[in-house]
Amino acid sequence: MEYLGHLIEEKCSQKLWNPVKSSQGGLFFSHVMFADDVVLFAKADQGNCVAIRDALDTFCSRTGQTISEAKSRVFFSPNVDRDTRQALCGVLGFASNPNLGKYLRIPIKHTGSPMDVNFILDRVKQKLAGWKANLLSPAGRTVLIQASSSTIPTYVMQCALLPNKILEGIDRVNRNFLWGSSETARKIHWVVWNKVTKPKKVGGLGLQSAKGRNIALLTKLNWRLHTENDSLWARVIKAKYCSTRRINSRNPSSLPCSQTWKGIKKAQIYSGKELDG
């Protein structure tokens, strides 16, 4: 994959490949790689698509690797007309798709609607449904909540503020499992959840509430944004949401933003780290 990166950089240096900007005045992107997944960025025209196809063909011929056309898709800007899309797809050899889909169950591109995270609550329910709470001691149930169900939404919580409905649902499922309640049999909850989620040294069980865990992870992300100044993701976020043009707009808070930035802004209230934008 490193060799493919060199091929792409060579095309860009020769002005054959025009990368795209993350925002006005932001960084240019030509590709992003993670493991064996590659996302390519370029201006939607004939020249760029020929350069992309040439780089991919060169990489495959010299390494012996092949591209999975069934798993590869092209995503165009809404400004690109239908005829142009068909012509460019013919050059690239990949089909067009209006939806980027999901990566690790998280939607890659968010529209104006809230991010669909209902799958998190469903996964927690399915996980706990496979265990028979009546056969476990309260201590055993506590360990399972800490080690399993509480960690399922962690990945999403690190980059987005989940809706209160989802957070409350996760707490409800964990709470019912702790006390042995189910849809058919209701058990008494002898201690309120606010006390259960307190640290052990003050009388709680050390469990974390879903909202507390979400805020803690976003606060950590906010801290990383302030300390990892040279990291690529921090530079992209700051260039997009902390630019002078955005700050000087009439109402910066009303401008559209990503779920990640919304989460960081929410975490600022708790961390005391204020950012403009």
Side-chain angles (χ1 to χ4, degrees), residues 106 110 115 117 120 153-164 167 208-228 233 237 258-275:
I106 300 180
H110 308 305
M115 184 172 61
V117 290
I120 297 175
T154 297
Y155 179 75
V156 184
M157 285 182 172
Q158 293 180 77
C159 59
L161 180 65
L162 301 185
N164 288 330
L167 297 174
Q208 290 182 313
S209 66
K211 185 173 184 179
R213 188 180 185 87
N214 196 181
I215 293 298
L217 291 171
L218 290 175
T219 303
K220 179 180 178 180
L221 185 65
N222 182 36
W223 172 78
R224 290 180 56 199
L225 183 64
H226 286 80
T227 56
E228 300 178 8
W233 75 273
I237 290 290
S258 66
Q259 296 293 332
T260 300
W261 181 247
K262 289 181 181 178
I264 291 176
K265 292 288 288 184
K266 184 69 174 180
Q268 291 170 12
I269 301 175
Y270 295 87
S271 66
K273 292 283 189 178
E274 289 297 333
L275 285 177

Side-chain angles (χ1 to χ4, degrees), residues 40-52:
L40 305 178
F41 304 90
K43 184 178 179 181
D45 60 24
Q46 186 81 10
N48 280 283
C49 289
V50 170
I52 291 174

Side-chain angles (χ1 to χ4, degrees), residues 52-262:
I52 291 174
R53 188 71 254 183
D54 182 60
L56 294 177
D57 290 341
T58 302
F59 172 77
C60 292
S61 63
R62 295 184 180 180
T63 62
Q65 300 187 41
T66 58
I67 299 172
S68 176
E69 295 185 2
K71 296 181 180 179
S72 302
R73 293 291 184 271
V74 184
F75 179 81
F76 291 99
S77 165
N79 298 325
V80 181
D81 61 80
R82 183 177 180 180
D83 293 338
T84 303
R85 296 185 186 190
Q86 293 178 348
L88 297 181
C89 285
V91 175
L92 294 171
F94 306 129
S96 175
N97 194 334
N99 186 4
L100 286 174
K102 298 180 179 180
Y103 188 77
L104 298 179
R105 292 183 176 266
I106 300 180
I108 297 177
K109 183 178 184 297
H110 308 305
T111 58
S113 59
M115 184 172 61
D116 183 14
V117 290
N118 291 324
F119 71 91
I120 297 175
L121 184 56
D122 294 336
R123 287 186 62 195
V124 173
K125 290 180 179 178
Q126 292 172 3
K127 191 71 173 181
L128 296 182
W131 296 325
K132 295 182 179 179
N134 295 332
L135 302 180
L136 299 170
S137 66
R141 299 172 200 164
T142 301
V143 172
L144 286 176
I145 292 174
Q146 287 177 323
S148 185
S149 66
S150 293
T151 59
I152 288 175
T154 297
Y155 179 75
V156 184
M157 285 182 172
Q158 293 180 77
C159 59
L161 180 65
L162 301 185
N164 288 330
K165 180 180 178 181
I166 300 297
L167 297 174
E168 292 171 359
I170 295 173
D171 282 342
R172 182 171 59 255
V173 172
N174 288 334
R175 185 167 60 243
N176 290 338
F177 180 77
L178 177 65
W179 299 108
S181 295
S182 64
E183 296 181 357
T184 57
R186 303 292 299 174
K187 299 294 183 66
I188 298 176
H189 296 192
W190 295 103
V191 182
V192 297
W193 188 244
N194 290 338
K195 291 185 178 180
V196 171
T197 53
K198 288 183 177 181
K200 292 182 179 180
K201 61 181 180 181
V202 294
L205 294 180
L207 298 178
Q208 290 182 313
S209 66
K211 185 173 184 179
R213 188 180 185 87
N214 196 181
I215 293 298
L217 291 171
L218 290 175
T219 303
K220 179 180 178 180
L221 185 65
N222 182 36
W223 172 78
R224 290 180 56 199
L225 183 64
H226 286 80
T227 56
E228 300 178 8
N229 296 321
D230 296 331
S231 62
L232 180 61
W233 75 273
R235 291 163 60 195
V236 170
I237 290 290
K238 290 181 178 180
K240 186 174 181 63
Y241 299 113
C242 303
S243 63
T244 304
R245 180 174 181 177
R246 187 181 181 94
I247 295 172
N248 294 334
S249 62
R250 293 183 178 180
N251 190 3
S253 60
S254 64
L255 297 176
C257 62
S258 66
Q259 296 293 332
T260 300
W261 181 247
K262 289 181 181 178

